[in-house]
């Protein structure tokens, strides 16, 4: 228990350090003392620096923090529902539903309305977020309905994958008939970014995630029972079908909100639960859930830092960074774990 508490403390300290680095580092160098005074509300610092800190770096850092935590928790819940280590937040097609919603709005706005949505500023961003939420929630509603009709997880998994393929096919058709400018705007959205959320949007996003993440923690006891198998879990008094539906709702809502504000962020939801299991060496969800939340937040902050390191013009796509950094780390951890098991 002492070791677990020590590891959680180390993760929390790492998150604080990465938050500070996210505020300090970027294309414009701002001294630590000036960042500190700006955060305390000092009016003596450069207006440009104040604008960079409050309009760019603080929203990006907070968005990465809660988005990473949300995707990691969502991935852990999906891997529990399907008892499959390859399951992730996008396995049921919910993020594809969000992409389809955005594709309808972005790709059709230029063709039907004559005005590309990317030119409408905040109004366009709000329309994209709303379309992503509606698309994700519609697919999630369909998945929950299917889950109430079928018993087998494999059938549910296959239907989710088919929904994803169907959404991708419709998006392909929409792209074929869309203007080049609209396609470019959609592709940029699909690359994922923690820097898209700003001002009031960031506040709403953080509040939503701070509401949803504690609610997800209420599922840890059911998740431990669920992993014992349907028959054993029923004997212990667990309503298996209701638990599965609640886990899908919880995971789907988290990934829908994150996708709406940041675009489809890959890899974190799939990889972080494996990292948490390897670091904490346990399958107890009472430990894995907070461990995944903290590890996801730390990894997302690190990826955001790399994506906009000094020397890069603008920011790299978050999806490229998460895969480039995370894949070797996860592969290394899994190989090391396998080697230890043989020894």
């Amino acid at each position: 228990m002492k070791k677990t508490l020590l590891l959680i403390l180390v993760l929390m300290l790492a998150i604080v350090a990465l938050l500070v680095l996210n505020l300090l580092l970027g294309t414009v160098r701002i001294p630590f003392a000036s960042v500190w005074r700006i955060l305390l509300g000092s009016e003596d610092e450069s207006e440009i620096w104040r604008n960079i800190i409050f309009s760019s770096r603080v929203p990006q850092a907070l968005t990465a923090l809660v988005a990473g935590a949300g995707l990691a928790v969502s991935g852990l819940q999906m891997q529990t529902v399907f008892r499959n280590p390859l399951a992730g937040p996008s396995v049921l097609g919910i993020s594809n539903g969000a992409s389809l919603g955005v594709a309808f709005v972005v790709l059709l706005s230029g063709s039907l309305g004559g005005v590309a949505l990317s030119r409408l500023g905040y109004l366009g961003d709000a329309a994209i977020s709303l379309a992503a939420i509606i698309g994700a929630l519609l697919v999630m509603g369909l998945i929950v309905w299917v889950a109430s009709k079928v018993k087998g997880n494999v059938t549910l998994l296959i239907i989710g994958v088919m929904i994803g393929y169907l959404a991708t096919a419709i998006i392909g058709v929409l792209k074929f008939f869309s203007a080049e400018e609209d396609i470019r705007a959609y592709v940029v959205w699909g690359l994922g970014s923690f820097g898209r959320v700003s001002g009031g949007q960031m506040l709403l996003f953080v509040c939503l995630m701070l509401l949803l993440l504690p609610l997800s923690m209420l599922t840890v006891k059911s998740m431990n029972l669920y992993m014992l198998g349907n028959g054993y879990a029923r004997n212990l008094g667990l309503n298996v079908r209701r638990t599965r539906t609640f886990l899908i709702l919880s995971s789907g809502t988290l990934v829908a909100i994150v996708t709406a504000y940041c675009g489809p962020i890959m890899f974190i939801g799939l990889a972080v639960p494996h990292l948490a299991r390897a670091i904490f060496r346990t399958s107890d969800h009472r430990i894995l859930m907070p461990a995944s939340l903290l590890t996801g937040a730390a990894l997302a902050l690190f990826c955001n830092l790399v994506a906009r390191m000094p020397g890069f013009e603008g920011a790299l796509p978050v999806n490229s960074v998460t895969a480039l950094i995370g894949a070797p780390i996860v592969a290394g951890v899994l190989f090391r774990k396998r080697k230890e098991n043989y020894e």
Side-chain angles (χ1 to χ4, degrees), residues 116-166:
L117 209 63
S118 53
R119 293 182 181 173
L120 298 181
Y122 289 117
L123 184 61
D125 292 340
I128 288 173
S129 299
L130 187 61
I133 289 174
I134 291 172
L137 292 182
L138 284 176
V139 171
M140 189 172 68
L142 180 60
I143 291 293
V144 169
W145 180 77
V146 172
S148 68
K149 301 293 180 186
V150 300
K151 288 184 180 177
N153 283 339
V154 175
T155 307
L156 184 62
L157 184 62
I158 292 172
I159 290 173
V161 172
M162 291 304 109
I163 290 174
Y165 279 126
L166 185 64

Side-chain angles (χ1 to χ4, degrees), residues 229-279:
N230 290 354
Y232 204 75
R234 278 196 196 95
N235 288 337
L236 291 173
L238 182 73
N239 186 324
V240 172
R241 183 170 289 190
R242 190 169 60 194
T243 300
R244 183 175 68 166
T245 303
F246 187 76
L247 287 174
I248 291 172
L249 271 173
S250 173
S251 173
T253 306
L254 284 171
V255 76
I257 299 294
V258 173
T259 307
Y261 283 93
C262 306
I265 305 292
M266 305 297 177
F267 191 79
I268 290 178
L270 171 66
V272 167
H274 292 290
L275 279 174
R277 287 188 193 98
I279 293 170

Side-chain angles (χ1 to χ4, degrees), residues 30-46:
I30 305 177
F32 177 78
S34 296
V35 172
W36 181 250
R37 283 194 290 271
I38 289 171
L39 290 176
L40 291 178
S42 170
E43 302 286 342
D44 299 332
E45 299 296 333
S46 161

Side-chain angles (χ1 to χ4, degrees), residues 2-341:
K2 267 186 181 178
K3 188 179 177 185
T4 301
L5 290 175
L6 182 64
L7 287 170
I8 287 178
L9 182 62
V10 168
L11 275 175
M12 292 173 76
L13 290 174
I15 289 172
V16 173
L18 286 165
L19 263 175
V20 173
L21 288 174
N22 269 268
L23 298 181
L24 282 175
L25 300 180
T27 50
V28 177
R29 183 181 172 280
I30 305 177
F32 177 78
S34 296
V35 172
W36 181 250
R37 283 194 290 271
I38 289 171
L39 290 176
L40 291 178
S42 170
E43 302 286 342
D44 299 332
E45 299 296 333
S46 161
E47 185 62 30
I48 295 175
W49 286 359
R50 285 167 51 81
N51 194 40
I52 290 172
I53 293 293
F54 286 123
S55 300
S56 174
R57 293 186 185 178
V58 169
Q60 271 195 43
L62 293 179
T63 300
L65 180 78
V66 294
L71 289 172
V73 169
S74 174
L76 180 63
Q77 289 178 324
M78 278 294 104
Q79 289 176 10
T80 303
V81 166
F82 294 105
R83 302 186 184 100
N84 186 334
L86 293 178
S90 59
V91 73
L92 289 178
I94 294 171
S95 55
N96 294 87
S99 300
L100 182 60
V102 173
F104 267 115
V105 171
V106 173
L107 299 178
L108 291 180
S109 64
S111 304
L112 301 180
V115 180
L117 209 63
S118 53
R119 293 182 181 173
L120 298 181
Y122 289 117
L123 184 61
D125 292 340
I128 288 173
S129 299
L130 187 61
I133 289 174
I134 291 172
L137 292 182
L138 284 176
V139 171
M140 189 172 68
L142 180 60
I143 291 293
V144 169
W145 180 77
V146 172
S148 68
K149 301 293 180 186
V150 300
K151 288 184 180 177
N153 283 339
V154 175
T155 307
L156 184 62
L157 184 62
I158 292 172
I159 290 173
V161 172
M162 291 304 109
I163 290 174
Y165 279 126
L166 185 64
T168 304
I170 296 172
I171 292 169
V173 173
L174 289 172
K175 279 183 182 175
F176 183 79
F177 291 105
S178 298
E180 189 175 335
E181 187 179 1
D182 294 329
I183 295 173
R184 185 178 181 281
Y186 175 75
V187 170
V188 169
W189 177 84
L191 293 175
S193 171
F194 296 128
R196 192 176 292 133
V197 187
S198 60
Q201 277 189 332
M202 184 273 292
L203 190 61
L204 178 61
F205 175 59
V206 171
C207 288
L208 283 172
M209 296 304 287
L210 291 180
L211 177 68
L212 292 171
L213 286 171
L215 286 177
S216 303
M217 295 291 169
L218 299 177
T219 62
V220 290
K221 187 178 176 184
S222 302
M223 290 166 75
N224 276 342
L225 293 175
Y226 191 88
M227 287 302 289
L228 297 174
N230 290 354
Y232 204 75
R234 278 196 196 95
N235 288 337
L236 291 173
L238 182 73
N239 186 324
V240 172
R241 183 170 289 190
R242 190 169 60 194
T243 300
R244 183 175 68 166
T245 303
F246 187 76
L247 287 174
I248 291 172
L249 271 173
S250 173
S251 173
T253 306
L254 284 171
V255 76
I257 299 294
V258 173
T259 307
Y261 283 93
C262 306
I265 305 292
M266 305 297 177
F267 191 79
I268 290 178
L270 171 66
V272 167
H274 292 290
L275 279 174
R277 287 188 193 98
I279 293 170
F280 286 82
R281 297 172 185 274
T282 181
S283 56
D284 186 346
H285 288 84
R286 290 174 300 178
I287 297 172
L288 270 183
M289 187 69 98
S292 296
L293 186 150
L294 294 173
T295 309
L299 184 62
L301 280 169
F302 182 66
C303 290
N304 185 55
L305 192 62
V306 173
R308 56 178 185 77
M309 281 292 281
F312 294 146
E313 289 295 332
L316 294 173
V318 169
N319 279 330
S320 303
V321 177
T322 53
L324 280 173
I325 293 174
I329 292 174
V330 173
V333 168
L334 293 178
F335 272 120
R336 186 179 169 187
K337 188 178 175 185
R338 186 182 175 87
K339 188 179 175 184
E340 288 175 356
N341 288 340

